[in-house]
Amino acid sequence: MIAPGGTIGILGGGQLGRMLAMAAAQLGYRSHIYAPGASGPATEVAARWTAGAYEDAAAVAAFAAQVDVVTYEFENVAVDALRGLANVAPGVRALEVAQDRLAEKRFAAAHGGTPAPFHEVNSAADLHAALDAIDGPAILKTRRMGYDGKGQVRIAHPSEAAAAWLSIGGRPAVLEGLVAFEAEFSIILARGKDGAAVRWPAATNAHKDGILDRSVVPPSGIVAEQEQAAAALACRFADALDYVGVLACEFFAGVAGPVFNEMAPRVHNSGHWTTEGAVTSQFENHVRAVCGLPLGSTALVGRGAEMVNLVGNQVRDWRTVLDDPAAHLHLYGKGEARPGRKMGHVTRVDL
């Protein structure tokens, strides 16, 4: 166990690192950020910041030697730089799976999950063959480095294959068949070093332009019907990875049951509502888990909650948000409000 007063090392200094550091401070821990840039949203709330490349194994090892545990706010960090470090949570295996969409889908299928139909694509010829096999609309995704709608393109007809292949730079990819679904939802759980796990109510999610727009709890309708099955899968994944920390798994609510979409081995945007809407937030429980502390209750504090992202220029409506006495405003301290950039979020709790 790492007692309060210890130091948590966080790879990444964005808004998730910011909120992790805030939760850590509440429990009496110091946070030390390691990230490529000289500053970021977590700068204002962390005790220390080290600038360095994620691929620099020597620098990462030196950083790890200065902290009690190393965790991360996003999954696209260099796995090779973390190998051999004894104080990383979640472990490297979770990163290996989550960083590669093909490995992720194979992992999910091997442990009882049902992903959308998929095919490995390493060439234009592979893409044409995969489109023939799926025989319908599909989406081409790079195997690595895609998030918030990046690194992917929809293909409505095989005639669009060449342009799609060029648009992703001819990189190794996965072709997924589009599946019919009624809703999108996520299961977020926290698992401790002792294997004990807790989870929050499933969040029903809505996206705009490939970016999460809002998350609502508790679930209703088909999401409520499929919540238990999806949660059982998420727990199975966590056990198979001997996972420590917060894990998010995203699903489509399909006619035949939950369809696995992807996992994130970290705190997740669709769990931001937990800061005000749950007894223990995802950020606090992640800190508790990686430090070996007992996990907190994930129960709702009211009848429900809603989180809405502030993307791009939406952040300029901060005063309007604050005119609502029931709104909890979270701004990330970012500078330029570029299109598609997450600038903050708003949470409302139905008491």
Side-chain angles (χ1 to χ4, degrees):
M1 182 184 73
I2 301 168
T7 299
I8 299 172
I10 303 172
L11 299 178
Q15 64 263 24
L16 298 181
R18 177 188 180 99
M19 289 180 274
L20 279 171
M22 293 168 69
Q26 177 182 319
L27 291 173
Y29 295 95
R30 292 164 56 86
S31 293
H32 184 171
I33 305 294
Y34 182 97
S39 64
T43 306
E44 300 164 351
V45 297
R48 292 189 61 191
W49 181 291
T50 295
Y54 295 129
E55 300 79 14
D56 188 337
V60 171
F63 166 74
Q66 300 175 62
V67 301
D68 294 296
V69 63
V70 175
T71 191
Y72 39 89
E73 68 146 15
F74 79 125
E75 57 270 33
N76 290 317
V77 296
V79 170
D80 288 343
L82 299 179
R83 295 189 195 281
L85 299 182
N87 58 340
V88 179
V92 170
R93 176 59 179 151
L95 281 175
E96 289 176 326
V97 171
Q99 284 183 356
D100 184 336
R101 285 188 169 113
L102 180 62
E104 182 180 60
K105 293 180 186 303
R106 287 174 171 168
F107 172 85
H111 292 88
T114 304
F118 67 93
H119 294 271
E120 182 177 359
V121 174
N122 293 310
S123 66
D126 285 348
L127 178 55
H128 283 287
L131 285 167
D132 287 343
I134 288 176
D135 193 25
I139 183 165
L140 182 66
K141 299 180 178 180
T142 56
R143 285 178 58 173
R144 295 179 178 273
M145 300 299 289
Y147 62 95
D148 285 346
K150 299 178 177 68
Q152 56 186 262
V153 58
R154 289 178 180 252
I155 303 175
H157 189 273
S159 62
E160 300 171 353
W165 182 242
L166 287 174
S167 74
I168 66 164
R171 289 176 287 171
V174 175
L175 185 73
E176 297 178 17
L178 295 183
V179 296
F181 62 91
E182 294 185 30
E184 298 178 72
F185 68 100
S186 52
I187 298 291
I188 301 179
L189 61 82
R191 187 177 186 273
K193 292 184 177 181
D194 60 356
V198 296
R199 71 170 181 87
W200 290 267
T204 303
N205 303 320
H207 294 77
K208 288 183 179 178
D209 301 321
I211 300 172
L212 182 65
D213 176 54
R214 68 184 61 226
S215 297
V216 178
V217 294
S220 60
I222 192 171
V223 174
E225 294 170 5
Q226 298 186 7
E227 178 179 21
Q228 293 300 325
L233 282 170
C235 289
R236 196 178 306 155
F237 298 162
D239 289 342
L241 294 168
D242 195 19
Y243 197 87
V244 175
V246 166
L247 174 69
C249 294
E250 296 183 70
F251 295 89
F252 301 115
V255 293
V259 177
F260 172 78
N261 183 23
E262 61 185 18
M263 70 173 65
R266 52 169 172 80
V267 289
H268 195 260
N269 194 172
S270 67
H272 288 357
W273 66 268
T274 61
T275 300
E276 289 85 21
V279 174
T280 311
S281 75
Q282 62 168 343
F283 305 103
E284 180 178 335
N285 259 344
H286 186 81
V287 171
R288 287 177 178 235
V290 302
C291 290
L293 305 179
L295 300 176
S297 168
T298 56
L300 292 168
V301 298
R303 292 177 295 181
E306 177 186 63
M307 185 283 306
V308 179
N309 273 330
L310 298 176
V311 179
N313 287 333
Q314 291 175 342
V315 72
R316 295 177 180 175
D317 294 332
W318 61 268
R319 178 53 192 268
T320 302
V321 172
L322 290 177
D323 285 337
D324 178 359
H328 299 273
L329 177 65
H330 297 257
L331 299 180
Y332 304 150
K334 296 180 179 180
E336 183 184 1
R338 298 190 300 269
R341 191 182 196 193
K342 294 175 181 176
M343 303 297 294
H345 70 269
V346 182
T347 303
R348 292 178 175 86
V349 179
D350 181 5
L351 298 174

